[in-house]
Amino acid sequence: MTEMTYIRREDPAPGVARIVLARAEKRNAQNPAMLYELDAALVQAAKAPEIKVVILAADGPDFSSGHDLEGGFGLPETPVATMGGHFEMGGAEGHYAFECEAFLGLSRRWRDLPKPVIVAAQGRAIAGGLMLLWPFDIIIASEDATFSDPVTAFGVNGVEYFTHVWEVGRRKAAEMLFTGEAISAEEAKSLGMVNHVVPRDELETFALRMAEKIVARPTFGLRLAKESINRSLDAQGQTVALESALGLHNLGHAANLAREGTIVVMSGMEVIRDLSRHP
């Protein structure tokens, strides 16, 4: 794998790969380069026969403050999740192509990675930060973790990987999106979104202990179990719902474009500036 700028790969135990978001100074806001570095690391772990479980973790006080799109919507790599093209087009057409590839496309690709992935999340996961949680299999949260999707304030329906109803249920999804308020780690656990809540200083070791339990089980059995879970989600209509929600999401962007002459997005940098006032 080529040298990484925004993530770090570690091997904390036999059979376990830990991939770390390493942009703490930006509260792990995701620019396109980070997303494609993460994808490359996940692909490498998926292909490595010695790796049975992946842990996704993050440096710094917050798991991810969402999208950081100050540098624009350019793809840093050849598309890997879609074949739609038209990324060079301006306005809504180019933006839709980008989000189909880099946001929904990558998230769906990660959901189907054929090995278990555990996420260890601390601090805040805001909007696009949920895109680095919900595609994966098990979520361990620190006691200080919170989860929010406030983007209805920007005229769109929610984050691009729109699995809110599966993650927190219909009623809480409505409250979460309509108010923009955060869900605590304990509430997320009670809703079934989070598996375990642990003290912050135990997050890394707890996630690793769980990974080591999973490593002890047969690789093919794990793959079949994960595939069965994902097929159950698809039988419930998750894939169709995701595609429909992304279309509505981009309708919101197009309305902003027509009204203001620019596509309005929730910039991770804006979130970072807000977080800096509330350390």
Side-chain angles (χ1 to χ4, degrees):
M1 189 167 62
T2 58
E3 184 176 352
M4 298 294 177
T5 301
Y6 301 111
I7 69 166
R8 182 174 67 255
R9 161 72 184 269
E10 301 171 348
D11 297 280
V16 181
R18 182 190 287 129
I19 301 170
V20 184
L21 308 178
R23 207 183 183 205
E25 74 283 359
K26 302 290 188 183
R27 306 291 179 125
N28 295 310
Q30 313 143 24
N31 57 15
M34 173 189 271
L35 296 176
Y36 281 87
E37 286 186 9
L38 174 59
D39 182 77
L42 289 169
V43 169
Q44 184 190 49
K47 290 181 176 179
E50 72 277 9
I51 298 300
K52 296 182 69 175
V53 183
V54 177
I55 297 173
L56 178 61
D59 287 340
D62 292 302
F63 180 75
S64 178
S65 61
H67 300 320
D68 175 8
L69 300 178
E70 282 200 332
F73 295 91
L75 293 181
E77 304 286 344
T78 301
V80 297
T82 63
M83 298 176 65
H86 300 283
F87 301 105
E88 75 286 353
M89 301 298 291
E93 184 175 359
H95 189 74
Y96 180 65
F98 174 86
E99 290 201 342
C100 285
E101 162 67 22
F103 293 160
L104 179 57
L106 288 183
S107 295
R108 288 175 58 179
R109 175 174 157 93
W110 300 338
R111 194 207 74 164
D112 293 333
L113 188 149
K115 296 178 180 180
V117 181
I118 300 169
V119 184
Q122 79 283 2
R124 284 158 281 209
I126 301 172
L130 301 173
M131 193 175 76
L132 304 183
L133 291 164
W134 289 350
F136 300 114
D137 305 302
I138 293 172
I139 299 175
I140 313 299
S142 63
E143 292 172 332
D144 67 332
T146 61
F147 310 93
S148 63
D149 189 1
V151 301
T152 54
F154 296 85
V156 294
N157 53 342
V159 69
E160 293 85 355
Y161 189 72
F162 197 94
T163 56
H164 304 64
V165 172
W166 280 270
E167 297 294 342
V168 300
R170 180 253 196 264
R171 305 291 180 193
K172 196 63 184 183
E175 180 182 344
M176 183 182 189
L177 291 164
F178 297 170
T179 69
E181 293 178 354
I183 297 173
S184 70
E186 284 293 347
E187 185 173 15
K189 181 175 181 291
S190 73
L191 294 165
M193 184 195 125
V194 163
N195 295 77
H196 298 276
V197 178
V198 300
R200 175 69 182 86
D201 60 0
E202 297 178 16
L203 181 63
E204 181 176 321
T205 56
F206 190 98
L208 182 56
R209 284 199 303 269
M210 179 169 285
E212 290 174 323
K213 290 180 183 179
I214 296 171
V215 164
R217 306 187 75 79
T219 301
F220 196 44
L222 294 171
R223 176 173 185 166
L224 294 178
K226 177 166 182 173
E227 193 167 319
S228 296
I229 292 169
N230 288 348
R231 288 185 183 184
S232 297
L233 294 172
D234 289 337
Q236 296 170 21
Q238 189 180 83
T239 297
V240 174
L242 282 167
E243 292 171 351
S244 176
L246 186 70
L248 295 174
H249 180 95
N250 276 269
L251 175 61
H253 284 321
N256 287 327
L257 176 64
R259 183 172 59 252
E260 302 177 20
T262 183
I263 293 176
V264 177
V265 297
M266 184 177 183
S267 165
M269 293 304 296
E270 292 297 330
V271 174
I272 291 162
R273 280 193 281 271
D274 181 63
L275 291 179
S276 68
R277 294 194 289 271
H278 305 282

